Amino acid sequence: MEHILEVDNLNVYYKNKGRKDDALQHVLHDVSFCMNRGEVLGLVGESGCGKTTLAKAILGMQKRFDGSIRLDCANPQMVFQDPYGSLNPAKKIGWILEEPLRMTNFAMKKGEKKLSHEQRVSRVDEMLGKVGLDIKVKEHYPSELSGGQRQRIAIAAALLCDTTFLIADEPVSALDVTIQSQIIKLLLRLQREFGISILFISHDLRVVYQMCDRVMIMQKGVILEQGAVDAIYQNPKSDYTRLLLEAANISA
Ligand SMILES: Nc1ncnc2c1ncn2[C@@H]1O[C@H](COP(=O)(O)OP(=O)(O)OP(=O)(O)O)[C@@H](O)[C@H]1O
Ligand SMILES: [Mg+2]
């Protein structure tokens, strides 16, 4: 497959709780796009427009959909807005980071033997260095870390799985501005180093400008426009995009 991801005419529906009839809420409408290998694609839109729904559909977590999703990556990973929920609160960071390496499908590449304890520890330590954390964090529980540190751990955990495709769902929204920019720089550096493709979900057009090659603008489950970040920011086609740019104080 030439692209790492191809989505064609995707429609996603939720069952409405509390409604007696079988009416489904139609959340994504004919969503179509492709992602090249190694690119960072932004997805921007107001709260409730369907961004996380699209992320979950790509990861195979939506039951009710039609259309097609083809993802050419065996172990896609996701980093959340606040990764607290995805980090096991009862385990120390060292255990959490080693966990995927214990599972044979991640640890074993072609012809590779299961990783020994020493090999796992050395991979974890190396990755902690790459995300800018001291190996002492391994002795801490998630609750003992700051939001920025937890986000670095979540990124390290995703990359330890040797993934080639990452969805970052508002990964810096919960962080203050200085930590935001550190995490963005870190993601960009790691993206270049590992050559991974990232679907970067955000409502912050400035962050998207820093991070992304291309961007999609979504409103009410519809992709209004998509293209190179420069082209869309300089020449927005839809009123909604223009509004978002104005609200972010970015003049077209
Ligand atoms: N599990 C669910 N069951 C029913 N409806 C849902 C479910 N998850 C999301 N929805 C609805 O689908 C729509 C899109 O939600 P989604 O979480 O995808 O939005 P979003 O763009 O990620 O918003 P935000 O920026 O606030 O994270 C909303 O109307 C939401 O209420
Ligand atoms: Mg969301």
Side-chain angles (χ1 to χ4, degrees), residues 91-224:
K91 298 287 183 187
K92 289 184 179 171
I93 297 300
W95 186 95
I96 292 172
L97 291 178
E98 260 191 64
E99 180 60 5
L101 301 177
R102 276 186 210 104
M103 291 159 67
T104 47
N105 55 339
F106 289 139
M108 292 167 77
K109 289 181 189 161
K110 256 187 207 148
E112 198 179 315
K113 286 198 182 120
K114 212 172 158 178
L115 295 177
S116 67
H117 175 67
E118 288 71 28
Q119 285 172 316
R120 291 199 303 265
V121 170
S122 100
R123 277 211 197 177
V124 166
D125 290 358
E126 190 192 351
M127 191 56 79
L128 282 172
K130 284 188 195 296
V131 299
L133 289 175
D134 194 289
I135 57 169
K136 283 187 200 140
V137 294
K138 291 195 296 183
E139 294 309 315
H140 289 276
Y141 291 96
S143 61
E144 296 168 342
L145 303 182
S146 71
Q149 285 173 324
R150 276 203 290 271
Q151 204 52 293
R152 287 172 196 267
I153 295 293
I155 293 167
L159 294 176
L160 275 167
C161 299
D162 276 342
T163 190
T164 53
F165 179 80
L166 180 72
I167 298 182
D169 191 355
E170 310 233 16
V172 295
S173 306
L175 306 171
D176 71 51
V177 183
T178 41
I179 310 292
Q180 270 192 8
S181 97
Q182 286 173 14
I183 298 287
I184 293 296
K185 285 195 186 116
L186 170 69
L187 266 176
L188 268 179
R189 183 167 56 72
L190 295 173
Q191 188 270 334
R192 288 192 190 118
E193 182 175 342
F194 292 92
I196 49 176
S197 317
I198 304 182
L199 179 61
F200 185 84
I201 300 177
S202 179
H203 56 257
D204 188 332
L205 287 171
R206 288 181 178 274
V207 171
V208 166
Y209 192 79
Q210 270 182 290
M211 270 300 290
C212 303
D213 308 312
R214 289 189 307 127
V215 63
M216 305 191 285
I217 309 289
M218 182 182 266
Q219 187 185 35
K220 296 187 178 126
V222 176
I223 295 193
L224 297 180

Side-chain angles (χ1 to χ4, degrees), residues 14 25 27 46-53 170:
Y14 286 117
Q25 185 191 354
V27 176
E46 67 205 342
S47 182
C49 72
K51 304 181 295 296
T52 300
T53 300
E170 310 233 16

